Amino acid sequence: MMNRPLEFLMEAGSQHDLVKLGWIGAPLFLVNEPELIKQMLTDTRGFHKGKIFKRLEMVLGKGLITLDGEDWVEARRRVQQAFRPGLFAEQQQIVIRQTQQMIQRLHREAANGVVDLAPVSSELMLRIALELL
């Protein structure tokens, strides 16, 4: 494990569905079984991340990786909204509309001479990002 950690983890994962490792004085589990992973991600009362994730919170902040229990459930609900059905089509329409408006503007401005596309493209990206967010 110490000399070749990636090779060790890959070999252990290929041979076992669940491997208990010791890491910085705390147990760490390598889970390589899809049904167990699904259960871990959906049963927030039956599985707890433990103290090591509280330490990681100092580095990673509070998020789906570090939160546990009801805090994790609430964070997951918020993130899930970004993947709701139909959202991509709505986002696509925003990009199309903003781009068409910019093209119309460029046609008007190009009639007066040369147009520098660098600031125009930056403005277009900003308009799209602001509307998407």
Side-chain angles (χ1 to χ4, degrees):
M1 171 73 173
M2 296 301 287
N3 296 334
R4 295 180 163 180
L6 187 56
E7 288 178 19
F8 172 82
L9 292 172
M10 289 177 64
E11 185 176 333
S14 69
Q15 294 178 7
H16 306 284
D17 292 338
L18 181 64
V19 180
K20 182 178 179 181
L21 308 164
W23 189 56
I24 311 177
L28 180 69
F29 294 90
L30 172 65
V31 182
N32 195 39
E33 208 280 59
E35 281 302 313
L36 183 54
I37 293 170
K38 180 180 177 184
Q39 186 179 355
M40 289 172 61
L41 293 173
T42 56
D43 181 5
T44 58
R45 289 180 181 87
F47 293 94
H48 298 281
K49 294 181 179 176
K51 294 176 186 176
I52 191 71
F53 283 91
K54 284 294 175 198
R55 293 181 196 144
L56 284 174
E57 195 173 282
M58 293 186 303
V59 176
L60 301 175
K62 290 187 177 192
L64 289 177
I65 293 174
T66 57
L67 291 174
D68 205 5
E70 290 304 314
D71 292 333
W72 178 86
V73 170
E74 182 58 34
R76 186 170 186 268
R77 276 191 201 115
R78 287 192 307 266
V79 169
Q80 215 169 8
Q81 294 172 9
F83 300 98
R84 68 177 167 77
L87 183 63
F88 184 71
E90 291 174 29
Q91 292 171 335
Q92 219 174 10
Q93 290 307 309
I94 290 170
V95 172
I96 291 168
R97 183 175 37 75
Q98 287 288 351
T99 303
Q100 287 173 337
Q101 289 173 359
M102 186 60 73
I103 291 170
Q104 290 170 359
R105 182 177 137 193
L106 285 172
H107 280 298
R108 289 190 303 270
E109 291 179 12
N112 299 330
V114 178
V115 176
D116 184 1
L117 289 179
V120 172
S121 59
S122 292
E123 181 185 338
L124 176 60
M125 287 188 294
L126 181 60
R127 287 178 178 274
I128 291 169
L130 286 173
E131 190 171 347
L132 287 173
L133 298 173

Short mmCIF file of all heavy atoms in Angstrom, two decimals, residues 69-95:
data_model
loop_
_atom_site.label_atom_id
_atom_site.label_comp_id
_atom_site.label_asym_id
_atom_site.label_seq_id
_atom_site.Cartn_x
_atom_site.Cartn_y
_atom_site.Cartn_z
N GLY A 69 -25.78 12.37 6.92
CA GLY A 69 -27.12 12.40 7.49
C GLY A 69 -28.05 13.37 6.78
O GLY A 69 -28.06 13.49 5.56
N GLU A 70 -28.86 14.09 7.58
CA GLU A 70 -29.85 15.02 7.03
C GLU A 70 -29.22 16.18 6.28
O GLU A 70 -29.79 16.69 5.31
CB GLU A 70 -30.78 15.52 8.14
CG GLU A 70 -31.71 14.47 8.68
CD GLU A 70 -32.57 13.81 7.60
OE1 GLU A 70 -33.14 14.53 6.74
OE2 GLU A 70 -32.67 12.56 7.60
N ASP A 71 -28.03 16.62 6.72
CA ASP A 71 -27.34 17.69 5.99
C ASP A 71 -27.01 17.23 4.57
O ASP A 71 -27.14 18.00 3.61
CB ASP A 71 -26.04 18.09 6.71
CG ASP A 71 -26.31 18.76 8.03
OD1 ASP A 71 -27.40 19.38 8.19
OD2 ASP A 71 -25.44 18.70 8.92
N TRP A 72 -26.58 15.98 4.43
CA TRP A 72 -26.28 15.43 3.11
C TRP A 72 -27.54 15.34 2.27
O TRP A 72 -27.52 15.69 1.08
CB TRP A 72 -25.64 14.05 3.25
CG TRP A 72 -25.33 13.42 1.93
CD1 TRP A 72 -24.21 13.60 1.18
CD2 TRP A 72 -26.17 12.51 1.19
NE1 TRP A 72 -24.29 12.86 0.02
CE2 TRP A 72 -25.48 12.18 0.01
CE3 TRP A 72 -27.42 11.96 1.42
CZ2 TRP A 72 -26.01 11.32 -0.94
CZ3 TRP A 72 -27.96 11.10 0.47
CH2 TRP A 72 -27.25 10.79 -0.69
N VAL A 73 -28.66 14.89 2.87
CA VAL A 73 -29.92 14.76 2.14
C VAL A 73 -30.34 16.12 1.59
O VAL A 73 -30.71 16.24 0.42
CB VAL A 73 -31.03 14.17 3.04
CG1 VAL A 73 -32.39 14.25 2.37
CG2 VAL A 73 -30.70 12.73 3.42
N GLU A 74 -30.26 17.16 2.41
CA GLU A 74 -30.64 18.51 1.97
C GLU A 74 -29.73 19.01 0.85
O GLU A 74 -30.19 19.58 -0.14
CB GLU A 74 -30.62 19.47 3.16
CG GLU A 74 -31.05 20.87 2.82
CD GLU A 74 -32.45 20.96 2.23
OE1 GLU A 74 -33.33 20.16 2.62
OE2 GLU A 74 -32.66 21.83 1.36
N ALA A 75 -28.43 18.80 0.99
CA ALA A 75 -27.48 19.23 -0.05
C ALA A 75 -27.74 18.47 -1.35
O ALA A 75 -27.67 19.05 -2.44
CB ALA A 75 -26.05 19.01 0.43
N ARG A 76 -28.04 17.20 -1.25
CA ARG A 76 -28.31 16.40 -2.45
C ARG A 76 -29.57 16.88 -3.16
O ARG A 76 -29.62 16.96 -4.38
CB ARG A 76 -28.45 14.92 -2.08
CG ARG A 76 -28.58 14.03 -3.30
CD ARG A 76 -28.47 12.57 -2.91
NE ARG A 76 -28.45 11.73 -4.08
CZ ARG A 76 -29.55 11.20 -4.62
NH1 ARG A 76 -30.73 11.42 -4.10
NH2 ARG A 76 -29.45 10.43 -5.68
N ARG A 77 -30.59 17.25 -2.40
CA ARG A 77 -31.82 17.80 -3.00
C ARG A 77 -31.51 19.07 -3.79
O ARG A 77 -32.04 19.27 -4.88
CB ARG A 77 -32.86 18.11 -1.91
CG ARG A 77 -33.67 16.93 -1.50
CD ARG A 77 -34.86 17.35 -0.64
NE ARG A 77 -35.30 16.21 0.11
CZ ARG A 77 -35.25 16.09 1.43
NH1 ARG A 77 -34.82 17.07 2.18
NH2 ARG A 77 -35.65 14.99 2.02
N ARG A 78 -30.67 19.92 -3.21
CA ARG A 78 -30.32 21.17 -3.90
C ARG A 78 -29.55 20.90 -5.19
O ARG A 78 -29.83 21.51 -6.23
CB ARG A 78 -29.51 22.08 -2.98
CG ARG A 78 -30.34 22.72 -1.88
CD ARG A 78 -29.58 23.82 -1.18
NE ARG A 78 -28.27 23.43 -0.69
CZ ARG A 78 -28.03 23.00 0.53
NH1 ARG A 78 -29.00 22.90 1.42
NH2 ARG A 78 -26.80 22.67 0.89
N VAL A 79 -28.62 19.98 -5.14
CA VAL A 79 -27.82 19.66 -6.32
C VAL A 79 -28.68 18.98 -7.38
O VAL A 79 -28.51 19.22 -8.58
CB VAL A 79 -26.62 18.76 -5.94
CG1 VAL A 79 -25.93 18.20 -7.16
CG2 VAL A 79 -25.64 19.55 -5.08
N GLN A 80 -29.61 18.16 -6.95
CA GLN A 80 -30.45 17.39 -7.87
C GLN A 80 -31.26 18.31 -8.78
O GLN A 80 -31.55 17.95 -9.93
CB GLN A 80 -31.39 16.51 -7.06
CG GLN A 80 -31.68 15.19 -7.68
CD GLN A 80 -32.40 14.27 -6.70
OE1 GLN A 80 -32.81 14.67 -5.61
NE2 GLN A 80 -32.55 13.03 -7.09
N GLN A 81 -31.59 19.50 -8.31
CA GLN A 81 -32.37 20.44 -9.12
C GLN A 81 -31.63 20.82 -10.40
O GLN A 81 -32.25 21.14 -11.41
CB GLN A 81 -32.68 21.69 -8.31
CG GLN A 81 -33.62 21.43 -7.15
CD GLN A 81 -33.76 22.65 -6.25
OE1 GLN A 81 -33.31 23.73 -6.58
NE2 GLN A 81 -34.40 22.45 -5.11
N ALA A 82 -30.32 20.78 -10.36
CA ALA A 82 -29.53 21.12 -11.55
C ALA A 82 -29.64 20.06 -12.64
O ALA A 82 -29.22 20.29 -13.77
CB ALA A 82 -28.07 21.32 -11.16
N PHE A 83 -30.21 18.91 -12.31
CA PHE A 83 -30.30 17.80 -13.27
C PHE A 83 -31.74 17.42 -13.56
O PHE A 83 -32.00 16.34 -14.05
CB PHE A 83 -29.53 16.59 -12.73
CG PHE A 83 -28.07 16.87 -12.51
CD1 PHE A 83 -27.60 17.19 -11.25
CD2 PHE A 83 -27.19 16.88 -13.57
CE1 PHE A 83 -26.25 17.48 -11.05
CE2 PHE A 83 -25.85 17.17 -13.38
CZ PHE A 83 -25.38 17.47 -12.11
N ARG A 84 -32.67 18.33 -13.29
CA ARG A 84 -34.08 18.00 -13.52
C ARG A 84 -34.36 17.85 -15.01
O ARG A 84 -33.70 18.48 -15.84
CB ARG A 84 -34.98 19.03 -12.87
CG ARG A 84 -34.94 20.39 -13.50
CD ARG A 84 -35.94 21.33 -12.83
NE ARG A 84 -35.71 22.70 -13.21
CZ ARG A 84 -36.06 23.23 -14.36
NH1 ARG A 84 -36.66 22.50 -15.26
NH2 ARG A 84 -35.81 24.50 -14.62
N PRO A 85 -35.35 17.03 -15.36
CA PRO A 85 -35.69 16.81 -16.77
C PRO A 85 -36.10 18.13 -17.44
O PRO A 85 -36.80 18.95 -16.84
CB PRO A 85 -36.88 15.84 -16.72
CG PRO A 85 -36.78 15.18 -15.38
CD PRO A 85 -36.16 16.20 -14.46
N GLY A 86 -35.67 18.32 -18.66
CA GLY A 86 -36.03 19.49 -19.42
C GLY A 86 -35.13 20.70 -19.22
O GLY A 86 -35.23 21.68 -19.95
N LEU A 87 -34.26 20.64 -18.22
CA LEU A 87 -33.41 21.80 -17.93
C LEU A 87 -32.44 22.07 -19.08
O LEU A 87 -32.22 23.22 -19.45
CB LEU A 87 -32.64 21.59 -16.63
CG LEU A 87 -31.77 22.76 -16.20
CD1 LEU A 87 -32.63 23.98 -15.91
CD2 LEU A 87 -30.95 22.40 -14.99
N PHE A 88 -31.88 21.01 -19.66
CA PHE A 88 -30.92 21.20 -20.75
C PHE A 88 -31.57 21.91 -21.93
O PHE A 88 -30.98 22.81 -22.53
CB PHE A 88 -30.32 19.86 -21.17
CG PHE A 88 -29.26 20.01 -22.23
CD1 PHE A 88 -28.02 20.56 -21.92
CD2 PHE A 88 -29.50 19.63 -23.54
CE1 PHE A 88 -27.04 20.72 -22.89
CE2 PHE A 88 -28.53 19.78 -24.52
CZ PHE A 88 -27.29 20.32 -24.18
N ALA A 89 -32.79 21.56 -22.25
CA ALA A 89 -33.50 22.20 -23.37
C ALA A 89 -33.71 23.68 -23.06
O ALA A 89 -33.57 24.54 -23.95
CB ALA A 89 -34.83 21.50 -23.62
N GLU A 90 -34.05 24.02 -21.81
CA GLU A 90 -34.22 25.42 -21.43
C GLU A 90 -32.91 26.18 -21.56
O GLU A 90 -32.87 27.31 -22.06
CB GLU A 90 -34.72 25.52 -19.98
CG GLU A 90 -36.14 25.03 -19.76
CD GLU A 90 -36.51 25.00 -18.28
OE1 GLU A 90 -35.95 25.82 -17.51
OE2 GLU A 90 -37.34 24.18 -17.91
N GLN A 91 -31.84 25.56 -21.11
CA GLN A 91 -30.52 26.19 -21.19
C GLN A 91 -30.11 26.40 -22.65
O GLN A 91 -29.54 27.43 -23.00
CB GLN A 91 -29.48 25.35 -20.45
CG GLN A 91 -29.71 25.31 -18.96
CD GLN A 91 -28.82 24.30 -18.26
OE1 GLN A 91 -28.38 23.33 -18.85
NE2 GLN A 91 -28.58 24.53 -16.98
N GLN A 92 -30.42 25.44 -23.47
CA GLN A 92 -30.11 25.52 -24.90
C GLN A 92 -30.82 26.73 -25.52
O GLN A 92 -30.22 27.47 -26.30
CB GLN A 92 -30.59 24.24 -25.57
CG GLN A 92 -29.71 23.72 -26.62
CD GLN A 92 -30.21 22.36 -27.11
OE1 GLN A 92 -31.31 21.91 -26.80
NE2 GLN A 92 -29.41 21.72 -27.92
N GLN A 93 -32.06 26.94 -25.15
CA GLN A 93 -32.84 28.06 -25.69
C GLN A 93 -32.24 29.40 -25.27
O GLN A 93 -32.23 30.36 -26.04
CB GLN A 93 -34.31 27.96 -25.27
CG GLN A 93 -35.06 26.82 -25.94
CD GLN A 93 -34.93 26.88 -27.45
OE1 GLN A 93 -35.16 27.90 -28.09
NE2 GLN A 93 -34.53 25.75 -28.06
N ILE A 94 -31.73 29.48 -24.06
CA ILE A 94 -31.08 30.71 -23.59
C ILE A 94 -29.85 31.01 -24.44
O ILE A 94 -29.65 32.14 -24.90
CB ILE A 94 -30.70 30.59 -22.09
CG1 ILE A 94 -31.97 30.60 -21.24
CG2 ILE A 94 -29.74 31.70 -21.66
CD1 ILE A 94 -31.73 30.23 -19.78
N VAL A 95 -29.03 29.99 -24.66
CA VAL A 95 -27.82 30.17 -25.47
C VAL A 95 -28.18 30.59 -26.89
O VAL A 95 -27.59 31.53 -27.45
CB VAL A 95 -26.96 28.88 -25.48
CG1 VAL A 95 -25.80 28.99 -26.45
CG2 VAL A 95 -26.46 28.57 -24.07
#
